[in-house]
Amino acid sequence: MNIRKMKIEDYEAVYQLWLSCKGMGLNTVDDSRDGIEKFLNRNPDTCFVAERDGKIVGVIMAGSDGRRGYIYHTAVSPDQRRQGIASKLVDAVMTAFKNIGITKAALVVFDRNADGNAFWEKSGFTVREDLVYRNKSIADMVRIDT
């Protein structure tokens, strides 16, 4: 298995991977090819894919605001799970964050995503009970829950 930086040419394979993962939340604006290209251009060193036999089997997208790192859309192909792929992707992001001076990372997981929440807890990410996550859409978008 090979972990490498994600590039826009990976988009179709990555999007299909996201669709194969129960519990992913996607939308038609941010997760479109254009939306992902903007994200990659802004965060060229913190998004990674895992490849096995020339096929993308895992992905993690991450970015920063200069103070904190944020992790998005981490996924591993259902038939490739429990092999350490997600952990290696997280390690790659944490190293990338450290290299750019980021000292704390955050993420959001749907509460109904039991597998995802179990993984993040096992990886040392704690639940913040003192925060309320708020969100406001600026553009019209359609949400796609897989």
Side-chain angles (χ1 to χ4, degrees), residues 50-132:
E51 289 181 310
R52 178 171 281 149
D53 299 324
K55 180 181 177 190
I56 292 175
V57 296
V59 61
I60 190 168
M61 294 187 60
S64 113
D65 62 10
R67 289 181 55 240
R68 295 286 183 257
Y70 300 93
I71 297 173
Y72 307 93
H73 288 9
T74 305
V76 173
S77 179
D79 65 339
Q80 298 287 319
R81 293 185 180 163
R82 310 247 186 271
Q83 298 179 41
I85 295 169
S87 295
K88 288 178 181 157
L89 288 165
V90 171
D91 289 346
V93 163
M94 292 304 173
T95 298
F97 280 159
K98 187 175 180 180
N99 289 341
I100 61 173
I102 301 299
T103 59
K104 191 172 188 179
L107 56 92
V108 175
V109 184
F110 288 115
D111 64 352
R112 68 178 183 271
N113 185 344
D115 290 343
N117 281 294
F119 170 77
W120 290 113
E121 187 161 325
K122 181 180 168 192
S123 298
F125 285 77
T126 58
V127 174
R128 295 278 309 257
E129 301 289 346
D130 59 328
L131 299 175
V132 174

Side-chain angles (χ1 to χ4, degrees), residues 19 21-27 110 112 142-146:
L19 289 177
C21 295
K22 184 179 178 187
M24 288 295 295
L26 304 172
N27 71 60
F110 288 115
R112 68 178 183 271
V142 175
R143 187 168 147 170
I144 306 162
D145 288 333
T146 58

